[in-house]
Amino acid sequence: MNAAQSFTVVVVNYNGGEMMADCARSLMECGLDPARIVVIDNGSRDDSLVRLEQAAPGCRVIRMGCNAGFARAVNRGLAETETEFALLFNNDARLESGAFAALAAHFDRHPRAAFVGGRLLHEDGRLQNAIAPFPRLHAEIIPKSILRRLDPVRHQGRPRGETPLEVESLIGALFAVRMEAVRDIGPLDDDFFFFLEETEWCHRAHARAWQVWHLPGARAVHAQGGTAKRYNALARIEYQRSKLLYYAKTAPGIYPLAFSLLLLKAATNALSNGLLLMLGGALSARQRARARVYGQVFGWYLAGRPADVGLPDKCPER
């Protein structure tokens, strides 16, 4: 049997352009019937849905009419899923041959596997981060380079071997889901708009004695962060908002300390980079842009973390 028949693929689209069409083509080339592609469109203003219809006639498109956020859009797609498994897949990714078979076989071998993530690659074959540890207070203070040396297994991000690994959390660009687990754990928490929604989901899965796996044999080429790159400062603000929400939901007892640490970190980044900006006439354009982004993030904290500051086109209730 074609392993792809066990999957419904849920793709969230927001102004994906030709990438959305390329994404759908890659899924069909891997054996997926276009009727099993569910695209949740978060109020796109470009021609990505026209391109999609030309590339994959027969795929299902659900128009949210505005930017409902990643979690809410995915949950809408999961509500349409009647197959044993779902694959959450980024619109800026292209699936590689054999992924569905690898994922289905892994789920069969591990009946407590709730989520299985694949290997993510740049166009030139370099590895991208595919796994992540849960946020912890010490990681807000200690530089990532030191954390990788102190705890390489948890902080490696880009596993190089071919052996599947049980992990804490996955990057959501290629994220396979056992629907039985969703019925037990619940869907994504749509209080999260963008960032860390899959991390909180993995946290909930572990709490219910389900497993989370990284599977190198399922692979995709990923453009990595297209939306975040287009709205750098606003995306970083959304990340801060999601990080605070993550701590509030998973560790409410330490939330005040987490908030203080994140605020201090934002202030330190803004003030140190702002000072460099004032003193360093030879700074590169990238360094100047980074200083401005840190300033905007700290300004968001100083303004009381207004809910209306963040990524654009949000639904009114957001």
Short mmCIF file of all heavy atoms in Angstrom, two decimals, residues 128-155:
data_model
loop_
_atom_site.label_atom_id
_atom_site.label_comp_id
_atom_site.label_asym_id
_atom_site.label_seq_id
_atom_site.Cartn_x
_atom_site.Cartn_y
_atom_site.Cartn_z
N GLN A 128 19.59 21.87 9.00
CA GLN A 128 18.96 22.91 9.80
C GLN A 128 18.58 22.33 11.16
O GLN A 128 18.49 21.11 11.34
CB GLN A 128 17.68 23.41 9.12
CG GLN A 128 17.88 24.15 7.83
CD GLN A 128 16.54 24.58 7.24
OE1 GLN A 128 15.50 24.53 7.89
NE2 GLN A 128 16.57 25.00 5.97
N ASN A 129 18.31 23.21 12.11
CA ASN A 129 17.77 22.75 13.38
C ASN A 129 16.46 22.03 13.14
O ASN A 129 15.57 22.54 12.46
CB ASN A 129 17.54 23.93 14.32
CG ASN A 129 18.83 24.47 14.90
OD1 ASN A 129 19.87 23.82 14.86
ND2 ASN A 129 18.77 25.66 15.46
N ALA A 130 16.34 20.84 13.71
CA ALA A 130 15.14 20.04 13.56
C ALA A 130 14.54 19.66 14.92
O ALA A 130 13.38 19.26 14.99
CB ALA A 130 15.43 18.77 12.77
N ILE A 131 15.35 19.75 15.98
CA ILE A 131 14.87 19.46 17.33
C ILE A 131 15.25 20.61 18.23
O ILE A 131 16.10 21.45 17.89
CB ILE A 131 15.46 18.14 17.87
CG1 ILE A 131 16.97 18.24 18.04
CG2 ILE A 131 15.11 16.98 16.95
CD1 ILE A 131 17.58 17.02 18.71
N ALA A 132 14.60 20.66 19.38
CA ALA A 132 14.87 21.74 20.33
C ALA A 132 14.58 21.26 21.74
O ALA A 132 13.68 20.44 21.95
CB ALA A 132 14.02 22.97 20.01
N PRO A 133 15.32 21.76 22.72
CA PRO A 133 14.98 21.46 24.11
C PRO A 133 13.82 22.33 24.58
O PRO A 133 13.51 23.36 23.95
CB PRO A 133 16.27 21.81 24.87
CG PRO A 133 16.84 22.94 24.07
CD PRO A 133 16.51 22.62 22.62
N PHE A 134 13.20 21.94 25.64
CA PHE A 134 12.19 22.81 26.24
C PHE A 134 12.87 24.07 26.80
O PHE A 134 13.99 23.99 27.31
CB PHE A 134 11.46 22.09 27.37
CG PHE A 134 10.58 20.96 26.94
CD1 PHE A 134 10.53 19.78 27.66
CD2 PHE A 134 9.77 21.07 25.81
CE1 PHE A 134 9.71 18.73 27.27
CE2 PHE A 134 8.95 20.03 25.41
CZ PHE A 134 8.92 18.86 26.14
N PRO A 135 12.21 25.22 26.72
CA PRO A 135 12.77 26.41 27.36
C PRO A 135 12.96 26.19 28.86
O PRO A 135 12.09 25.62 29.53
CB PRO A 135 11.70 27.47 27.09
CG PRO A 135 10.99 27.01 25.86
CD PRO A 135 10.97 25.50 25.98
N ARG A 136 14.09 26.62 29.35
CA ARG A 136 14.40 26.53 30.78
C ARG A 136 15.08 27.83 31.22
O ARG A 136 15.74 28.48 30.41
CB ARG A 136 15.32 25.34 31.07
CG ARG A 136 14.64 23.98 30.85
CD ARG A 136 15.62 22.84 31.09
NE ARG A 136 14.96 21.54 31.06
CZ ARG A 136 14.70 20.84 29.97
NH1 ARG A 136 15.07 21.33 28.78
NH2 ARG A 136 14.10 19.68 30.02
N LEU A 137 14.95 28.16 32.49
CA LEU A 137 15.45 29.45 32.96
C LEU A 137 16.95 29.61 32.75
O LEU A 137 17.41 30.67 32.34
CB LEU A 137 15.10 29.63 34.45
CG LEU A 137 13.63 29.84 34.78
CD1 LEU A 137 13.46 30.13 36.26
CD2 LEU A 137 13.03 30.96 33.95
N HIS A 138 17.71 28.54 33.01
CA HIS A 138 19.16 28.70 32.86
C HIS A 138 19.54 28.98 31.41
O HIS A 138 20.54 29.65 31.14
CB HIS A 138 19.91 27.46 33.38
CG HIS A 138 19.72 26.24 32.54
ND1 HIS A 138 18.74 25.32 32.77
CD2 HIS A 138 20.42 25.78 31.46
CE1 HIS A 138 18.82 24.34 31.87
NE2 HIS A 138 19.83 24.60 31.06
N ALA A 139 18.71 28.50 30.46
CA ALA A 139 19.02 28.74 29.05
C ALA A 139 18.73 30.18 28.64
O ALA A 139 19.16 30.61 27.56
CB ALA A 139 18.21 27.78 28.18
N GLU A 140 18.02 30.94 29.47
CA GLU A 140 17.81 32.35 29.19
C GLU A 140 19.06 33.17 29.52
O GLU A 140 19.18 34.32 29.10
CB GLU A 140 16.62 32.89 29.99
CG GLU A 140 15.32 32.12 29.84
CD GLU A 140 14.78 32.13 28.42
OE1 GLU A 140 15.27 32.93 27.59
OE2 GLU A 140 13.88 31.33 28.13
N ILE A 141 19.96 32.57 30.30
CA ILE A 141 21.16 33.30 30.77
C ILE A 141 22.43 32.80 30.10
O ILE A 141 23.27 33.59 29.67
CB ILE A 141 21.30 33.13 32.30
CG1 ILE A 141 20.02 33.59 33.01
CG2 ILE A 141 22.51 33.90 32.81
CD1 ILE A 141 19.97 33.22 34.47
N ILE A 142 22.56 31.47 29.98
CA ILE A 142 23.80 30.88 29.47
C ILE A 142 23.79 30.92 27.94
O ILE A 142 22.81 30.51 27.32
CB ILE A 142 23.93 29.42 29.96
CG1 ILE A 142 23.92 29.38 31.49
CG2 ILE A 142 25.21 28.80 29.43
CD1 ILE A 142 23.87 27.96 32.05
N PRO A 143 24.85 31.40 27.31
CA PRO A 143 24.91 31.44 25.84
C PRO A 143 24.72 30.05 25.23
O PRO A 143 25.15 29.04 25.80
CB PRO A 143 26.31 31.99 25.55
CG PRO A 143 26.67 32.75 26.78
CD PRO A 143 26.04 32.01 27.93
N LYS A 144 24.11 30.01 24.05
CA LYS A 144 23.84 28.73 23.38
C LYS A 144 25.12 27.96 23.10
O LYS A 144 25.14 26.73 23.15
CB LYS A 144 23.07 28.98 22.08
CG LYS A 144 21.63 29.40 22.28
CD LYS A 144 20.91 29.55 20.95
CE LYS A 144 19.47 29.98 21.15
NZ LYS A 144 18.75 30.14 19.87
N SER A 145 26.20 28.67 22.78
CA SER A 145 27.46 27.98 22.48
C SER A 145 27.95 27.18 23.68
O SER A 145 28.49 26.08 23.53
CB SER A 145 28.52 28.99 22.05
OG SER A 145 28.71 29.97 23.06
N ILE A 146 27.76 27.72 24.87
CA ILE A 146 28.18 27.01 26.09
C ILE A 146 27.22 25.86 26.38
O ILE A 146 27.63 24.77 26.77
CB ILE A 146 28.24 28.00 27.28
CG1 ILE A 146 29.33 29.04 27.02
CG2 ILE A 146 28.50 27.25 28.58
CD1 ILE A 146 29.42 30.11 28.09
N LEU A 147 25.92 26.10 26.19
CA LEU A 147 24.95 25.03 26.43
C LEU A 147 25.22 23.83 25.53
O LEU A 147 25.08 22.68 25.97
CB LEU A 147 23.53 25.55 26.17
CG LEU A 147 22.96 26.51 27.22
CD1 LEU A 147 21.64 27.10 26.73
CD2 LEU A 147 22.75 25.81 28.56
N ARG A 148 25.61 24.09 24.29
CA ARG A 148 25.89 22.97 23.37
C ARG A 148 27.08 22.15 23.84
O ARG A 148 27.13 20.94 23.64
CB ARG A 148 26.13 23.51 21.96
CG ARG A 148 24.87 24.06 21.29
CD ARG A 148 25.10 24.37 19.83
NE ARG A 148 23.95 25.04 19.24
CZ ARG A 148 23.91 26.33 18.94
NH1 ARG A 148 25.00 27.07 19.11
NH2 ARG A 148 22.83 26.88 18.43
N ARG A 149 28.05 22.82 24.47
CA ARG A 149 29.21 22.08 24.99
C ARG A 149 28.85 21.33 26.27
O ARG A 149 29.31 20.20 26.48
CB ARG A 149 30.37 23.03 25.24
CG ARG A 149 31.01 23.58 23.98
CD ARG A 149 32.40 24.13 24.25
NE ARG A 149 32.36 25.29 25.12
CZ ARG A 149 32.22 26.55 24.71
NH1 ARG A 149 32.11 26.79 23.41
NH2 ARG A 149 32.21 27.54 25.57
N LEU A 150 28.05 21.94 27.12
CA LEU A 150 27.70 21.33 28.40
C LEU A 150 26.70 20.18 28.23
O LEU A 150 26.76 19.19 28.97
CB LEU A 150 27.10 22.38 29.34
CG LEU A 150 28.04 23.49 29.81
CD1 LEU A 150 27.27 24.52 30.64
CD2 LEU A 150 29.19 22.91 30.64
N ASP A 151 25.78 20.31 27.29
CA ASP A 151 24.72 19.31 27.12
C ASP A 151 24.46 19.11 25.62
O ASP A 151 23.43 19.52 25.08
CB ASP A 151 23.45 19.80 27.83
CG ASP A 151 22.39 18.71 27.97
OD1 ASP A 151 22.59 17.62 27.38
OD2 ASP A 151 21.37 18.95 28.64
N PRO A 152 25.42 18.48 24.92
CA PRO A 152 25.32 18.40 23.45
C PRO A 152 24.13 17.59 22.96
O PRO A 152 23.58 17.87 21.89
CB PRO A 152 26.64 17.74 23.05
CG PRO A 152 27.13 17.04 24.28
CD PRO A 152 26.65 17.86 25.43
N VAL A 153 23.69 16.59 23.69
CA VAL A 153 22.58 15.76 23.24
C VAL A 153 21.29 16.59 23.18
O VAL A 153 20.57 16.59 22.18
CB VAL A 153 22.39 14.54 24.15
CG1 VAL A 153 21.13 13.77 23.76
CG2 VAL A 153 23.62 13.63 24.06
N ARG A 154 21.03 17.33 24.26
CA ARG A 154 19.79 18.11 24.32
C ARG A 154 19.83 19.33 23.41
O ARG A 154 18.82 19.75 22.85
CB ARG A 154 19.53 18.53 25.77
CG ARG A 154 18.24 19.33 25.95
CD ARG A 154 17.99 19.60 27.43
NE ARG A 154 17.50 18.39 28.09
CZ ARG A 154 17.56 18.18 29.40
NH1 ARG A 154 18.10 19.07 30.19
NH2 ARG A 154 17.08 17.07 29.92
N HIS A 155 21.02 19.93 23.26
CA HIS A 155 21.12 21.20 22.56
C HIS A 155 21.75 21.08 21.17
O HIS A 155 22.11 22.09 20.58
CB HIS A 155 21.91 22.21 23.40
CG HIS A 155 21.23 22.61 24.66
ND1 HIS A 155 20.27 23.60 24.70
CD2 HIS A 155 21.33 22.13 25.93
CE1 HIS A 155 19.83 23.73 25.94
NE2 HIS A 155 20.44 22.86 26.71
#
